[in-house]
Structures are given as structure tokens and as C-alpha cells.
Amino acid sequence: MNITVQQIIVNTPTWVWMLLVALFILGIKNSQERAVNMAKMFVAPLIFMIWGLWTITTSFSHIGVTLTSYVIFIVPGFLIGYVLNKNFQAFYIKNSTFYKKTSYLPLVIVLLNFVVKYGLNVMLVFYHSDLFHVVYSSANGLTVGLFFGGIVYTILIKSEIKNSKVVA
């Protein structure tokens, strides 16, 4: 069976394209200098967690193994996300409000998450081996971990800046 890229794109549900547009807009907004809203930081990670965990728990036969690989791979994703944010995201306080400086890292991370999840879900149509299910779960955990590394870094920097009153 030869499937073309055009067929894959045409057969992708409309909600997936709407999600991509929403995530792109969210990524652009989060890349600009602005006050940090801690609650909104969890929106994209929750979308990707729900998307990945839904597939893992409803489509795979060895849920224990796939969930374990998902959780294990959150750790390296977390570390990578933490280091990326430490190197490419800066913050400051102005008038008692915590701000992040302009950085396109949030856009890159949200688009990377989308591309990985989309690609894996397309591949899921063709590959239904236990090994692929573990790869799928691991990649999902890794990409979700990127978000959480950034969130924890932001929380720690916010606390550090507020306690020291130093611009970072």
C-alpha cells in the first residue's frame, strides 16, 4: 500500500489542524516579552499529555510497559527542557511583576511536540508492534518532559529573583 503525504494531510482530522494553529498562536504569544502567568504555563503540556496518554491507554495492549517507558523518558526530557530554558530564556521583575524576555524557545518546543506527536500518530497507522508502542510512549514522555523542565526552571528562577531582587 503506497500512501502519499498528500493523502496523510487530507485525511488528518480538522481538529488536528485547528490544534496546530492554536498551538502556533500560543507559541508565538509565549515567545514574546510578557508577564509570566504560571497557570497558563500548564496549558500546552496538559494538551500533549492528554493526547499521548489517551493513545497509550486506549490503543496499546501492554499498558504497564508503555506507561513505564513514558514516565522514564519524562526525566531526560525534563533535564533537556531545564537546560534549554537555563540557556535561552531570561527573566526579570518590574513593578513587582515577574516577566520573561523574548525567546522563541517556547514556540520551538510546542511545535516540536506537535510534529513528534503528529508523526508518531501517522506512523501508528502502519506500525502496531510492541516495540513501536514503547518507542511511541518514550517519545511522548520525552517531549512532555521538555515542558516540565521549563516550568520548573521558571518557578525556581521566579523564586530566586524575588528573593534576591536581582535581574536575571
Side-chain angles (χ1 to χ4, degrees):
M1 171 188 336
N2 291 329
I3 305 257
T4 66
V5 172
Q6 181 183 9
Q7 289 172 311
I8 291 169
I9 291 170
V10 167
N11 289 308
T12 298
T14 304
W15 71 265
V16 174
W17 299 122
M18 292 187 323
L19 177 61
L20 174 59
V21 170
L23 290 170
F24 184 78
I25 291 168
L26 178 70
I28 290 289
K29 285 183 179 180
N30 285 334
S31 296
Q32 304 308 306
E33 186 165 319
R34 62 191 284 180
V36 175
N37 181 324
M38 299 307 261
K40 286 184 180 179
M41 289 178 63
F42 289 92
V43 172
L46 288 175
I47 289 169
F48 286 111
M49 282 182 71
I50 291 167
W51 187 3
L53 289 172
W54 175 263
T55 302
I56 291 167
T57 58
T58 62
S59 302
F60 301 162
S61 56
H62 301 290
I63 294 174
V65 173
T66 53
L67 284 177
T68 300
S69 65
Y70 179 89
V71 171
I72 288 170
F73 275 83
I74 286 175
V75 175
F78 174 91
L79 295 172
I80 293 166
Y82 187 92
V83 169
L84 285 172
N85 277 273
K86 185 175 183 177
N87 290 312
F88 297 106
Q89 184 65 69
F91 301 92
Y92 65 94
I93 291 185
K94 180 180 174 185
N95 300 327
S96 300
T97 302
F98 185 60
Y99 286 87
K100 61 182 240 30
K101 293 183 179 181
T102 300
S103 168
Y104 288 95
L105 183 61
L107 176 63
V108 170
I109 289 176
V110 78
L111 292 179
L112 176 66
N113 263 272
F114 180 86
V115 168
V116 168
K117 301 261 189 311
Y118 180 78
L120 288 170
N121 280 294
V122 168
M123 291 173 65
L124 194 54
V125 172
F126 305 104
Y127 303 105
H128 270 292
S129 69
D130 291 340
L131 176 60
F132 181 73
H133 294 170
V134 170
V135 169
Y136 180 99
S137 302
S138 300
N140 271 272
L142 185 75
T143 57
V144 165
L146 290 172
F147 284 114
F148 288 109
I151 290 169
V152 169
Y153 177 74
T154 302
I155 291 168
L156 292 174
I157 288 298
K158 180 179 181 180
S159 174
E160 188 177 301
I161 291 173
K162 284 195 173 198
N163 290 337
S164 67
K165 305 286 186 192
V166 174
V167 175

